[in-house]
Amino acid sequence: MSQRIAKPRTTAVILAGGTGQRVGLSIPKQLLKIAGKAVIEHTLTTFEKADSIDDIIVLMAPGYVPDIEKIVAKAGFQKVTKIIEGGSTRNETTERAIAALGEGLADGEDLNVLFHDAVRPLLSRRVIDDCVTALERFQAVDVAIPSADTIIVTRTHGDDGEFITEIPDRSRLRRGQTPQAFKLSTIRRAYEVAAGDPNFQATDDCSVVLKYLPDVPIHVVAGDEYNMKVTQPVDVFIADKLFQLASTATPEQKGEEVYRELLTGKTVVVFGGSYGIGKDIAELAESYGAKVYALGRSTTGTHVENPEEVDDALSKAYAETGRIDYVVNTAGVLRIGKLAETDNATIEEALKVNYLAPVQIARSSYKYLAETQGQLLLYTSSSYTRGRAEYSLYSSTKAAMVNLTQALSDEWAGEGIRVNCVNPERTATPMRTKAFGQEPAGSLLSSEAVARTSLDVLLSELTGHVIDVRQQDPTASAGQASGFEQALASVLDRQDGVA
């Protein structure tokens, strides 16, 4: 009877030795916050959740190891086993990783290793899994995507500048990404041979194998366009927008008993709780044992645009329960019309209710949420990514909610307060019916569905995210990358209507 061969351990090596010089930062770019978390935290989260990864080591820029230790401890990453200083060059950093990986290995024991740039935070688990699978057949694996641009080769001629000398066939050109995956024995051997070359230098590890172990084939796994590297200032903007558009899949729904366990004894304050989404959230949370304060103009006489009334509502909830765990604001007004024809009273109402009220609610909620390490939940509109004619006030104030969410999640991270924003597609609410009249049955999300997702967000550990709620996720079975693919579909959908 043949003996089953145990699968080798697979280690992810996160290369975080770079600085922030090219993006104009005084700190390493991997510590820059995008969507409420440091870039490297997004990267580590992906590997932490990948079933094909057994453990993780981080090679961090000198002097910043304690920063990573704090991130790892706070996030509770279980797979991170080592955090060590990287070298002054990419090659030196890889050599330090190889030495660390070899510690404790038995003679003849090998393992799979994936080297990944910390500043590629949008990596999908599909790419990780494909690399690990490829290592079952190959000793070296790269990740690449086709080049959409024509590549030219140039040569400089004195003061006359550059001239084209060659235009390679674009169909054979690929843009390299990470991770790059190897059997440890292979990448170690490549660096041992390279050490004998006095002119050795390389910007990536596959090139070391290609040059110094020419007999080892390097298999190519298909990458994806979202797996971008944050290198230039514009990359910071693009990465943040991608997280803003499709920051995360909707949190997983919990069982009835789990909801009850998590909400019993908690205090939830809902502004805009008279009807629609706010009313449904209040009723749902109350059904699971939370003490809920559903506040609204038509039921409790609470005007969110009045700071004193907001303060009074929160202080009353705190006085009666001794805590406030979640503050939700669904209040809003939708006025349609051309800006040039809009009177001052309408403009003032939109700004007070849709913008200044959430700002005041956030400011007043801070001290209570800091005490419980709770969450503030805001709402945006599916029109926030692109303002349209006759919706200028609504779209612009709802876009402000996204920026407010991201700013506060960063500002309040030290106190453990989470801030998120729900972005429902067109939803059947009294506000929408008043603006658009009756619409075809089945064409709108139900407010109950949005309330259920809102509750899942409140009970999650997310912060700084914009969570899309859609009637149907056409790419739900396409793996983790579908979240970013869905973002593009969402942008197109937002051309059609307003939530």
Side-chain angles (χ1 to χ4, degrees):
M1 188 174 182
S2 60
Q3 223 177 5
R4 200 171 192 180
I5 300 174
K7 290 183 67 174
R9 192 170 88 251
T10 299
T11 299
V13 175
I14 308 304
L15 301 170
T19 66
Q21 291 180 346
R22 279 185 285 183
V23 290
L25 298 172
S26 59
I27 61 171
K29 55 197 172 185
Q30 52 271 27
L31 296 178
L32 176 71
K33 286 194 174 179
I34 291 177
K37 297 180 182 179
V39 170
I40 193 170
E41 185 173 349
H42 289 294
T43 304
L44 289 170
T45 298
T46 300
F47 283 98
E48 177 80 14
K49 292 182 177 180
D51 293 336
S52 56
I53 298 298
D54 296 304
D55 55 298
I56 303 166
I57 68 172
V58 181
L59 279 294
M60 187 57 189
Y64 290 94
V65 167
D67 295 84
I68 301 301
E69 291 173 340
K70 290 178 184 176
I71 288 173
V72 169
K74 184 176 180 181
F77 294 130
Q78 299 298 308
K79 292 183 180 179
V80 179
T81 56
K82 293 180 182 178
I83 304 170
I84 57 181
E85 283 196 351
S88 58
T89 65
R90 169 64 180 265
N91 301 145
E92 186 181 340
T93 298
T94 298
E95 288 170 342
R96 291 189 181 189
I98 291 171
L101 290 166
E103 295 174 359
L105 283 183
D107 289 343
E109 184 181 359
D110 210 349
L111 57 82
N112 297 331
V113 54
L114 276 64
F115 292 97
H116 184 68
D117 297 324
V119 289
R120 291 185 185 270
L122 300 174
L123 175 68
S124 72
R125 291 201 291 275
R126 190 273 302 169
V127 172
I128 295 173
D129 293 342
D130 285 355
C131 285
V132 176
T133 299
L135 285 175
E136 295 175 5
R137 294 184 56 200
F138 306 99
Q139 299 177 54
V141 178
D142 202 354
V143 172
I145 59 175
S147 174
D149 298 315
T150 296
I151 306 299
I152 62 174
V153 179
T154 67
R155 180 175 296 171
T156 301
H157 292 274
D159 295 334
D160 292 331
E162 288 185 298
F163 294 85
I164 294 176
T165 60
E166 183 183 356
I167 302 178
D169 179 3
R170 190 174 68 186
S171 66
R172 297 182 59 197
L173 296 176
R174 300 290 182 268
R175 289 159 50 200
Q177 299 181 332
T178 64
Q180 293 185 330
F182 309 92
K183 294 295 184 183
L184 177 60
S185 57
T186 299
I187 191 65
R188 179 195 287 133
R189 177 60 182 155
Y191 270 87
E192 288 172 350
V193 176
D197 181 356
N199 299 314
F200 168 58
Q201 59 178 9
T203 56
D204 73 296
D205 298 309
C206 278
S207 64
V208 180
V209 173
L210 182 67
K211 182 173 182 178
Y212 298 102
L213 298 180
D215 293 332
V216 174
I218 303 174
H219 180 71
V220 178
V221 160
D224 64 56
E225 290 287 348
Y226 302 106
N227 188 17
M228 61 177 290
K229 187 175 183 180
V230 179
T231 303
Q232 304 294 340
V234 69
D235 301 329
V236 177
F237 174 81
I238 293 171
D240 196 62
K241 286 300 177 184
L242 282 172
F243 274 111
Q244 178 175 314
L245 287 171
S247 57
T248 185
T250 301
E252 183 179 351
Q253 289 193 353
K254 299 166 176 58
E256 295 292 303
E257 289 307 312
V258 177
Y259 284 117
R260 190 168 300 281
E261 179 184 344
L262 293 174
L263 284 166
T264 296
K266 299 297 175 63
T267 300
V268 183
V269 178
V270 182
F271 292 96
S274 296
Y275 56 80
I277 297 170
K279 182 174 183 290
D280 290 335
I281 291 172
E283 292 178 350
L284 195 57
E286 193 169 47
S287 73
Y288 289 121
K291 175 63 176 175
V292 179
Y293 292 82
L295 308 164
R297 181 178 302 186
S298 60
T299 51
T300 61
T302 305
H303 296 71
V304 293
E305 64 271 33
N306 187 321
E308 289 77 20
E309 293 185 24
V310 169
D311 285 338
D312 289 346
L314 289 167
S315 61
K316 178 186 177 184
Y318 184 80
E320 292 181 359
T321 67
R323 61 187 299 134
I324 295 178
D325 300 275
Y326 307 108
V327 176
V328 179
N329 178 49
T330 64
V333 293
L334 171 57
R335 301 288 183 256
I336 302 171
K338 297 178 180 178
L339 184 62
E341 299 171 2
T342 304
D343 58 46
N344 288 336
T346 300
I347 293 174
E348 186 174 348
E349 178 195 39
L351 291 175
K352 282 185 175 180
V353 176
N354 291 350
Y355 180 69
L356 292 179
V359 169
Q360 177 60 30
I361 289 169
R363 188 174 66 168
S364 297
S365 301
Y366 170 78
K367 62 182 178 182
Y368 304 112
L369 296 177
E371 190 174 297
T372 58
Q373 294 194 322
Q375 182 176 160
L376 172 66
L377 186 61
L378 303 174
Y379 287 76
T380 186
S381 157
S382 57
S383 65
Y384 80 87
T385 56
R386 182 180 181 273
R388 293 187 303 280
E390 300 190 20
Y391 298 96
S392 57
L393 289 173
Y394 188 74
S395 296
S396 58
T397 52
K398 287 302 180 180
M401 291 305 96
V402 173
N403 287 286
L404 182 63
T405 295
Q406 293 171 326
L408 290 181
S409 68
D410 194 354
E411 190 173 319
W412 294 354
E415 287 77 19
I417 304 174
R418 287 161 290 127
V419 186
N420 290 295
C421 191
V422 169
N423 174 36
E425 66 175 344
R426 298 182 295 274
T427 306
T429 63
M431 182 181 75
R432 183 176 177 87
T433 300
K434 184 178 179 181
F436 296 100
Q438 291 297 324
E439 297 175 88
S443 64
L444 304 177
L445 263 175
S446 70
S447 60
E448 294 86 355
V450 179
R452 172 67 69 173
T453 296
S454 299
L455 197 64
D456 291 329
V457 174
L458 286 175
L459 299 178
S460 75
E461 293 302 314
L462 298 175
T463 187
H465 287 284
V466 180
I467 294 89
D468 283 344
V469 186
R470 299 167 59 82
Q471 278 188 292
Q472 191 175 3
D473 180 1
T475 57
S477 61
Q480 189 204 23
S482 67
F484 299 106
E485 292 162 3
Q486 183 182 340
L488 298 183
S490 298
V491 172
L492 295 176
D493 288 347
R494 289 168 194 158
Q495 315 309 311
D496 300 328
V498 180

